[in-house]
Amino acid sequence: MPELPEVQTIATDLAEALTGTVIEKAILNFPKIVATDPEAFESFLVGTRIEGVDRLGKFIHFHLNNDRHLLTHLKMTGRFSLGEWPLDGIWPKHAHIAFRLQDRAPPLDTLFYCDTRKFGRLRAFHGNDLAAYVQKIFLGPDPLLIDAKDFHDRITAKRGRLKAVLLNQSVVSGLGNIYADESLFAAGFHPARSAASLSRTETAHLLIHIQKLLRDAIARRGSTTSTYEGLKGGGSFQNQHRVYGRSGQNCLVCHQPLARAIIAGRGTSYCPTCQRL
DNA sequence: AGACCCCTGGAC
DNA sequence: GTCCAGGGGTCT
């Protein structure tokens, strides 16, 4: 499941592969994957040039010319791949959109959006509409850019358990299940602790661990799991996980068994000894 | 805060 | 066949 480091890796790779490229043609194989008007989607894109690709929380943001924007959320299983324009209705498995790239030769003349579970969504916007959409969903600041005071104010303003608050994209945008569990372990906080109870010192400590974890994970091109695949293959940060996917195994610090709970509706791995309420 | 929903594939 | 994976929207 792509989270901030995986989405960052994909966006960086897309930017390198596609900046300056014109979208010659686009076809939808599964219209529901487009959350804005699917009828208008293809003509919106035809002839536009990709001027850059970056990340907005867990969204991938394609900057197009003429103040047009394409926002993609990969959710659980979305991915991009390069391939050959589908002839005779033959598409790669789980490919839902094809973007034909100008001045590229087969078999790499097409960008595909693929998504096994079809949870992901693409949205096409003109500039002002993009800003309005980001406001509408209350997308919070990036955890890599936020300062300690703003982080403290946002975390402690929410009632609820700390893990649930970290996963709330309107508090900070980009953390998912893996990096929430890993950062709580690294910082020594119990996932069920009340978010509002953290002191200034504690939120500062937590933020330092979140940022270090995200930077290390980006440096390793993210975590490869059963469902994440980047444009150029997976990352290697899964080898650094200390709690995610390890419940029942022993804590690498205190050697007691890691526990599992459901918090915020998500499977949660933590060390009951090292992470105190 | 929790339940359900959107979906598919892999583990058992 | 049943359960599980879990981002995020929606409803209670």
Side-chain angles (χ1 to χ4, degrees):
Chain A
M1 55 309 292
E3 303 179 24
L4 187 153
E6 292 78 30
V7 176
Q8 180 67 61
T9 302
I10 294 166
T12 304
D13 289 352
L14 287 170
E16 189 197 318
L18 300 176
T19 297
T21 300
V22 170
I23 298 172
E24 201 173 67
K25 209 171 165 186
I27 38 175
L28 284 175
N29 200 24
F30 180 71
K32 211 179 150 187
I33 215 82
V34 173
T36 48
D37 182 7
E39 300 271 321
F41 188 77
E42 297 173 5
S43 59
F44 176 92
L45 289 174
V46 168
T48 60
R49 189 176 59 247
I50 299 169
E51 301 199 316
V53 187
D54 59 16
R55 179 184 61 77
L56 196 59
K58 284 186 252 191
F59 290 90
I60 292 171
H61 180 184
F62 293 80
H63 300 254
L64 309 172
N65 64 333
N66 301 325
D67 198 26
R68 294 177 188 215
H69 303 266
L70 182 62
L71 211 55
T72 308
H73 201 301
L74 304 174
K75 295 285 181 79
M76 308 290 294
T77 54
R79 63 188 179 89
F80 284 99
S81 67
L82 291 168
E84 188 162 354
W85 185 251
L87 295 171
D88 305 322
I90 299 167
W91 288 63
K93 201 165 191 186
H94 302 127
H96 306 308
I97 308 177
F99 306 87
R100 185 168 185 145
L101 308 173
Q102 202 171 73
D103 301 326
R104 302 285 176 108
L108 295 175
D109 58 354
T110 304
L111 177 72
F112 287 104
Y113 176 73
C114 308
D115 194 337
T116 306
R117 291 174 70 178
K118 302 177 179 171
F119 283 180
R121 290 291 178 267
L122 283 82
R123 291 176 168 83
F125 296 109
H126 290 95
N128 290 340
D129 297 339
L130 170 71
Y133 176 71
V134 170
Q135 278 213 333
K136 183 186 127 193
I137 62 171
F138 299 107
L139 192 68
D142 198 283
L144 286 172
L145 303 176
I146 195 170
D147 64 63
K149 182 184 185 317
D150 193 16
F151 184 70
H152 176 81
D153 292 347
R154 287 173 165 274
I155 291 289
T156 56
K158 292 285 180 189
R159 284 210 300 268
R161 306 180 212 195
L162 184 53
K163 174 166 173 178
V165 172
L166 289 179
L167 289 176
N168 182 339
Q169 302 296 298
S170 71
V171 176
V172 287
S173 58
L175 295 175
N177 209 33
I178 296 174
Y179 297 97
D181 277 6
E182 291 296 327
S183 55
L184 287 168
F185 176 80
F189 295 120
H190 195 290
R193 179 157 169 195
S194 157
S197 75
L198 269 70
S199 68
R200 269 300 292 270
T201 312
E202 288 178 316
T203 53
H205 177 73
L206 176 58
L207 181 58
I208 282 169
H209 281 283
I210 289 171
Q211 293 182 336
K212 174 170 173 16
L213 199 63
L214 293 175
R215 290 196 184 103
D216 288 351
I218 290 168
R220 289 175 165 81
R221 299 180 52 80
S223 304
T224 296
T225 63
S226 57
T227 54
Y228 163 65
E229 187 182 348
L231 198 64
K232 301 186 199 163
S236 63
F237 195 70
Q238 71 281 3
N239 300 320
Q240 313 295 317
H241 293 173
R242 294 196 282 170
V243 286
Y244 179 81
R246 295 193 68 246
S247 59
Q249 299 178 48
N250 289 340
C251 173
L252 297 168
V253 173
C254 73
H255 310 294
Q256 301 300 303
L258 296 175
R260 181 184 157 82
I262 301 291
I263 293 176
R266 306 273 179 264
T268 301
S269 300
Y270 66 101
C271 175
T273 310
C274 297
Q275 296 171 255
R276 308 307 303 182
L277 269 172

